[in-house]
Amino acid sequence: MNKVQLQAKLELESATERLDQAMARSFSEYSRSRLQKWLKSGFVTLDGVVVTSPKQKVFGGEDCVVNGELAVENKWHAEAIPIDIVYEDESILVVNKPANMVVHPAAGNYQGTLVNGLLHHLPELELIPRAGIVHRLDKDTTGLLVVAKTLIAHAHLVEQLKQRTVGRHYVCLVYGPIISGATVDQPIARHPINRKLMAVVANGRTAITHYRVNKKFRDFTLLDVKLETGRTHQIRVHMSWLKHPLVGDPQYLGRFRKPKGCSERLEGALKAFNRQALHARTLELTHPVSGALMSWQVELPEDFQNLISIVEQESVNDLS
């Protein structure tokens, strides 16, 4: 275990607040959930007295001392899996995830995941919640995601996601012509019948997706999409709700769709592309330590580029 020692005089503005709230003010580099764990474990004193209840009210001005421990978050195993690292410094790393790679180990996928590879690259990530990953990509969605290498970076990135200041820009190929861009503001929750899927549900969580047309084809549209929120399968669900499901989507497309007058070449390409045509192309965030605004961009994977090329060549009418 790694030791963490913190000391601060609680702010006077914290008077009447819960202790965990007051600590979050004084130790903002750590997440509130982390501070609550240390409290409940007896690692926190106020004016020399051990306090274990996060709900205890404070007066402001107390001396707060934390003698915490960083324990292994999960018993996941490191594996020598190649990782396409786009950027790395002492606080964060940004990776370009390939298709057919699960992000976190879970039932049925305990090996071969991005986390397994990250732990081989950086064993110290075992001390960070979820091995430093603060947002996900679906197994067959490609592109950029950021990983926190420290607790401080993790707390800052989680807060940025909460405040919706992280820029996540995607490219997707959908069925049907779309005339212009728009915003989908429809709540998402578990599908009421098929619990493995998500759906637009009246009492679901807020989900907002912005999209604009990148290229128009005869039977398809290439979209640039920006997420304001980050719900599970959000783009896939919203596009399906619009009746413009993603090409190749194994869960939300339904049966294979063959456009009218589709050539054998295009039909073969569509059938061969057996994953959702979705790529996280651009990532923008504020660096958790320097405060600098940073941005990264990666090109579409080769199979996606080839699919778009065939779709474009097979489009009879120039709709641009």
Side-chain angles (χ1 to χ4, degrees):
M1 293 193 181
N2 290 7
K3 300 291 185 179
V4 174
Q5 293 184 321
L6 307 171
Q7 184 172 2
K9 186 177 289 292
L10 297 183
E11 297 181 10
L12 295 177
E13 291 82 355
S14 295
T16 74
E17 285 184 342
R18 289 167 45 126
L19 177 54
D20 59 349
Q21 293 176 313
M23 290 177 64
R25 281 175 176 263
S26 297
F27 307 119
S28 59
E29 65 271 30
Y30 293 96
S31 69
R32 189 167 164 184
S33 61
R34 170 68 59 178
L35 296 172
Q36 288 175 340
K37 286 182 181 179
W38 285 334
L39 270 166
K40 294 175 181 178
S41 298
F43 296 152
V44 178
T45 63
L46 278 185
D47 290 336
V49 179
V50 174
V51 182
T52 59
S53 173
K55 297 181 180 180
Q56 177 166 323
K57 300 295 184 179
V58 302
F59 296 100
E62 296 99 323
D63 288 320
C64 183
V65 176
V66 180
N67 289 295
E69 296 178 342
L70 295 182
V72 174
E73 288 284 330
N74 297 281
K75 294 182 179 179
W76 293 329
H77 300 289
E79 294 180 54
I81 300 172
I83 300 175
D84 183 3
I85 298 175
V86 177
Y87 173 83
E88 182 174 10
D89 61 25
E90 293 182 353
S91 301
I92 63 173
L93 64 85
V94 177
V95 303
N96 181 19
K97 190 187 83 66
N100 196 34
M101 175 180 275
V102 174
V103 172
H104 281 111
N109 291 288
Y110 288 108
Q111 297 179 326
T113 73
L114 178 60
V115 164
N116 296 122
L118 287 171
L119 289 174
H120 182 269
H121 175 67
L122 292 169
E124 59 268 31
L125 287 178
E126 67 179 1
L127 299 174
I128 310 298
R130 308 192 75 79
I133 292 177
V134 294
H135 65 111
R136 298 189 185 189
L137 294 177
D138 295 334
K139 176 182 177 181
D140 284 322
T141 297
T142 57
L144 295 169
L145 57 79
V146 63
V147 180
K149 295 174 62 175
T150 68
L151 282 176
I152 293 174
H154 184 271
H156 277 266
L157 291 174
V158 168
E159 183 62 22
Q160 287 185 55
L161 286 163
K162 181 180 178 181
Q163 297 299 326
R164 304 181 183 177
T165 59
V166 176
R168 289 168 290 172
H169 303 263
Y170 295 72
V171 175
C172 65
L173 184 66
V174 302
Y175 275 92
I178 295 180
I179 303 303
S180 62
T183 294
V184 183
D185 185 352
Q186 293 292 332
I188 290 177
R190 287 288 172 187
H191 194 287
I193 299 175
N194 188 341
R195 305 301 290 176
K196 293 183 178 180
L197 301 181
M198 308 300 288
V200 170
V201 179
N203 61 349
R205 301 177 69 188
T206 299
I208 302 173
T209 304
H210 308 283
Y211 67 91
R212 65 181 181 86
V213 174
N214 182 307
K215 286 185 180 181
K216 300 177 184 178
F217 306 110
R218 185 184 64 187
D219 301 299
F220 307 90
T221 306
L222 188 67
L223 297 176
D224 291 328
V225 181
K226 180 181 179 181
L227 287 182
E228 185 168 328
T229 56
R231 308 305 175 206
T232 301
H233 299 174
Q234 181 172 318
I235 294 174
R236 299 163 66 188
V237 170
H238 275 169
M239 290 302 112
S240 178
W241 181 82
L242 288 174
K243 309 301 182 186
H244 292 287
L246 272 62
V247 170
D249 195 323
Q251 294 174 301
Y252 297 98
L253 174 60
R255 63 181 179 84
F256 173 72
R257 294 192 183 187
K258 179 181 177 180
K260 186 177 180 180
C262 177
S263 68
E264 291 186 4
R265 180 182 183 224
L266 178 55
E267 181 180 358
L270 292 172
K271 288 182 176 178
F273 198 88
N274 56 359
R275 65 178 182 87
Q276 63 268 13
L278 180 61
H279 175 68
R281 181 168 62 181
T282 305
L283 179 66
E284 301 169 345
L285 54 85
T286 300
H287 193 277
V289 176
S290 71
L293 182 62
M294 306 188 75
S295 177
W296 302 270
Q297 182 169 310
V298 289
E299 293 301 319
L300 297 175
E302 186 176 358
D303 62 341
F304 200 163
Q305 292 188 44
N306 290 339
L307 176 62
I308 294 173
S309 178
I310 294 173
V311 167
E312 188 169 25
Q313 293 169 20
E314 295 292 326
S315 294
V316 176
N317 299 318
D318 182 5
L319 301 179
S320 59

